Amino acid sequence: MDLGIKGKTALVCASSKGLGRGCAEALAEAGVHLVLNARGAEALEATAADIRAKWGVNVTAVAADITTDAGRDRVLAATGGKADILVTNAGGPPPGLWSDWTRDDFIKALDANMLTPIALMQALLPGMIAQGWGRVVNITSQSVKSPIPALGLSNAARTGLTGFVAGTARQVAPNGVTINNLLPGIHATDRAISLDGGVAKAQGISVDEARVRREATIPVRRYGTAAEFGAACAFLCSQHAGFIVGQNILLDGGAGNATI
Ligand code: NAP
């Protein structure tokens, strides 16, 4: 399917690896020029070079922490303050116990997973509105629909972002701009492997055993892939998705046991 977005430009945050990279690859395959971002310059430059070579699009790489004001300023400067497509993403907060989290822990989680995507939207939505076309996809989590108790910081911050998107998506939709959230269930990325490591340690089992046990909880009996996730993101950014507004789309292999 021709996604109809060839030649457009996208900012894809936190995209040297994992789900962000999956989104960047799928957009590049559709002919979209990219600004990529991650903190570590080496992996980021390698990803940028791979994508340029594979898809022949322009790729600008900005090594910066997207959750800081200074980092965001540098990333936004690389877009010239304008992008047709914005994919927000950042690392998720660490697991823990509700009784241990301090105010600072909450502020850090809110900064990373709620206030950063909001600040990026505030910066780029005006240009999208002015040109009458734009797409925003926020990478959130299945924890928005179905809480993961040990990830309370993530549950809290991402639900806050979801509330912001619910109203804002309806405000910008008349201008040809859509905002939607993609909710990953378990995908085979470094993040999932590190969570498996935590479970293995806590339960005294191997990382492989921890993965087998988690896969057994997913109806498709495997983890999702970054490529599958990226394809869904690229579709939401396509010309065909203009009627999809303010949705929270779960990509979890059926793990969330709910009728709606
Ligand atoms: P990942 O494989 O660990 O990749 C994270 C990417 O984000 C890397 O490129 C990393 O590069 C970059 N990054 C992290 N923090 C950043 C920051 N502050 N500023 C800029 N770049 C940053 O993670 P993932 O699995 O793709 O997860 C992406 C998001 O989806 C996370 O928020 C995660 O919590 C959420 N999620 C993932 C899953 C899953 O199963 N994978 C499930 C639910 C939710 P640097 O480290 O070099 O910065």
Side-chain angles (χ1 to χ4, degrees):
M1 183 192 285
D2 178 1
L3 297 184
I5 48 177
K6 190 169 184 214
K8 293 203 180 286
T9 58
L11 166 57
V12 186
C13 303
S15 50
S16 65
K17 293 189 296 185
L19 304 180
R21 177 169 182 167
C23 296
E25 293 267 1
L27 288 168
E29 185 176 358
V32 174
H33 304 299
L34 300 171
V35 175
L36 300 186
N37 150 258
R39 291 163 305 179
E42 204 178 317
L44 179 65
E45 290 296 347
T47 296
D50 264 10
I51 290 179
R52 266 184 221 114
K54 219 190 292 178
W55 307 114
V57 294
N58 302 331
V59 183
T60 305
V62 187
D65 185 338
I66 199 68
T67 69
T68 65
D69 289 342
R72 274 194 303 280
D73 285 351
R74 291 189 40 232
V75 171
L76 287 167
T79 68
K82 265 191 77 169
D84 302 304
I85 295 166
L86 165 65
V87 180
T88 75
N89 186 28
L97 191 59
W98 63 271
S99 48
D100 294 339
W101 293 316
T102 63
R103 178 181 163 78
D104 282 351
D105 294 327
F106 279 103
I107 297 295
K108 210 169 156 202
L110 291 173
D111 263 340
N113 300 113
M114 177 184 168
L115 299 176
T116 288
I118 290 174
L120 290 164
M121 283 185 261
Q122 286 175 323
L124 294 176
L125 282 172
M128 295 181 189
I129 290 167
Q131 70 181 9
W133 195 94
R135 298 282 185 264
V136 179
V137 174
N138 300 296
I139 300 180
T140 68
S141 172
Q142 64 183 353
S143 70
V144 169
K145 289 209 180 203
S146 176
I148 301 167
L151 293 178
L153 293 172
S154 170
N155 301 339
R158 297 186 196 280
T159 307
L161 172 63
T162 306
F164 174 83
V165 166
T168 308
R170 271 94 187 166
Q171 288 176 304
V172 302
N175 306 98
V177 179
T178 71
I179 313 177
N180 292 286
N181 302 321
L182 274 181
L183 283 53
I186 303 168
H187 284 71
T189 66
D190 287 1
R191 160 93 172 166
I193 291 159
S194 102
L195 289 175
D196 283 346
V199 170
K201 210 168 148 199
Q203 298 184 3
I205 56 175
S206 69
V207 175
D208 283 350
E209 180 56 22
R211 177 166 179 156
V212 167
R213 288 186 193 182
R214 271 222 288 180
E215 283 175 338
T217 68
I218 305 171
V220 300
R221 298 287 187 264
R222 63 173 177 83
Y223 289 0
T225 69
E228 289 170 316
F229 190 89
C233 175
F235 180 77
L236 282 179
C237 296
S238 75
Q239 296 294 358
H240 311 296
F243 210 54
I244 304 177
V245 170
Q247 297 303 299
N248 291 282
I249 297 168
L250 195 55
L251 299 178
D252 71 345
N257 192 31
T259 304
I260 293 179

